[in-house]
Amino acid sequence: MKHRVVALVGSPQEMYPVTCASAVFGYQGPDIPHLYDFRLCAERPGPIATTMGADILVTDGLEALAEADTILIANWCPGPDISAELGDAVLAAHARGARIVGICSGIHIPASLGLLDGRTAAAHWELTGELARRYPKVRADATVLYVDHGDVATAGATATTIDLCLNQVRREHGAALAMRIGRQLAAAPHREGCQRQFPTLPTAGPLPDSLAPLLDWATANLDRRLTLEDMAAWSGTSPRTLSRHFSEQLGISPGRWLLDRRIAGARALLEETDLPVETIAQRVGLSSAVNLRRRFHNALSTTPAAYRRSFR
């Protein structure tokens, strides 16, 4: 049975995060397994106004939440106050094991229901003050892209919707499928939730150069022994300047970013091939099976062999 994703929408609805989610969970063509079913619901079915200036017609009501495996609430523009009927429907779904995903102002619903009490939640930087006043038990973090607790996940900005949804695919079906869907969408390399939500921009002078070309080049050359000096030379800057750009734009070091990419590549090869661990280590630039096992265990608390068995 397909995993049922239901997006709860309300008027006026911003459609960008909803369409991003539908792109990840929707049909990707005959060559990619279609493991999700995506639909919309509203507290009051019918025409729903959107920020695009055109209405959408939503036929399903709150009863759809009773069948959902994931409930996605993106930019809840109706406001932080929700009806008892809506709150009961979301709580009942969560109690039976449904996953609740709040994006941008969609965080108000799980926060108001106590599902984030004592937990960290990714929050848009413009909402942190209001969240602190309304939900003092929630640790709102405006610096990270998303936080995924498994049963509840939050993303601070709408542009991180694809990252959070691909992270769900990766958790449920492995890195290989998430990477294939990402490539199908021409999405940027998957970003970890700990990465910075937005770069620190200067108040004057030119904006910092994007790291995207360098990241694409490094991802295509994972089998090489890349160093900070190699990456700096390719980008035409000094190692110190490059490290500063990584910190400002991604919130992590070049070495950490590169290791995350190598681990992701190893996961995909373990899931989709029968290659020996030694060969996989060489293909993702980790040099040896011993080094791969050590790095893999530090990152995922398991071994490559155990990980491979779990996806077979």
Side-chain angles (χ1 to χ4, degrees):
M1 183 179 295
K2 294 179 181 178
H3 184 109
R4 293 160 294 193
V5 180
V6 176
L8 174 63
V9 299
S11 178
Q13 179 65 47
E14 181 184 349
M15 291 305 297
Y16 178 72
V18 177
T19 55
C20 285
S22 69
V24 173
F25 296 124
Y27 179 65
Q28 302 290 340
D31 297 330
I32 296 181
H34 188 204
L35 304 176
Y36 294 89
D37 176 72
F38 185 85
R39 59 197 289 201
L40 305 180
C41 82
E43 186 171 11
R44 296 176 180 81
I48 301 293
T50 73
T51 57
M52 299 186 303
D55 293 352
I56 56 173
L57 181 61
V58 179
T59 58
D60 291 329
L62 293 181
E63 68 279 357
L65 301 185
E67 302 176 352
D69 299 304
T70 292
I71 298 172
L72 184 132
I73 310 156
N75 265 13
W76 189 248
C77 294
D81 299 321
I82 63 174
S83 68
E85 183 182 11
L86 174 56
D88 290 344
V90 174
L91 284 175
H94 179 264
R96 63 170 174 77
R99 170 180 166 89
I100 312 300
V101 178
I103 298 170
C104 202
S105 58
I107 190 178
H108 279 294
I109 291 183
S112 66
L113 297 174
L115 299 180
L116 291 170
D117 285 358
R119 290 172 147 182
T120 300
H124 195 281
W125 55 92
E126 293 181 345
L127 295 177
T128 52
E130 181 182 3
L131 293 172
R133 291 191 300 271
R134 285 182 171 270
Y135 321 110
K137 295 181 180 179
V138 179
R139 297 191 295 270
D141 189 341
T143 66
V144 296
L145 293 177
Y146 59 84
V147 176
D148 192 342
H149 295 289
D151 63 318
V152 182
T154 52
T158 56
T160 62
T161 304
I162 287 182
D163 297 291
L164 181 54
C165 292
L166 287 176
N167 186 62
Q168 177 169 342
V169 175
R170 185 171 61 169
R171 289 179 59 137
E172 294 171 348
H173 299 289
L177 180 59
M179 292 171 68
R180 291 174 66 188
I181 293 175
R183 286 196 298 267
Q184 183 78 359
L185 300 176
H190 180 77
R191 298 183 293 178
E192 300 294 337
C194 63
Q195 289 188 25
R196 193 179 299 277
Q197 199 173 127
F198 63 98
T200 303
L201 299 179
T203 56
L207 296 179
D209 291 335
S210 170
L211 289 171
L214 171 63
L215 303 187
D216 291 341
W217 172 79
T219 301
N221 289 275
L222 284 182
D223 58 325
R224 295 176 51 184
R225 183 183 174 275
L226 297 177
T227 65
L228 175 59
E229 289 71 21
D230 294 331
M231 297 170 71
W234 189 91
S235 59
T237 187
S238 69
R240 185 173 181 177
T241 299
L242 183 63
S243 294
R244 187 178 73 251
H245 285 174
F246 264 82
S247 177
E248 291 172 346
Q249 297 185 40
L250 300 181
I252 57 176
S253 69
R256 167 64 189 276
W257 179 88
L258 189 58
L259 178 59
D260 287 345
R261 299 279 63 74
R262 295 193 194 283
I263 295 297
R267 291 172 67 171
L269 290 172
L270 287 167
E271 294 164 16
E272 292 198 319
T273 75
D274 294 317
L275 292 172
V277 173
E278 184 73 35
T279 302
I280 292 176
Q282 294 171 1
R283 287 197 178 186
V284 299
L286 289 175
S287 71
S288 69
V290 172
N291 189 35
L292 171 58
R293 291 189 180 97
R294 178 171 63 87
R295 299 288 191 176
F296 207 85
H297 189 272
N298 289 342
L300 302 173
S301 299
T302 189
T303 65
Y307 183 86
R308 171 173 268 166
R309 286 194 299 270
S310 70
F311 281 93
R312 293 301 180 93

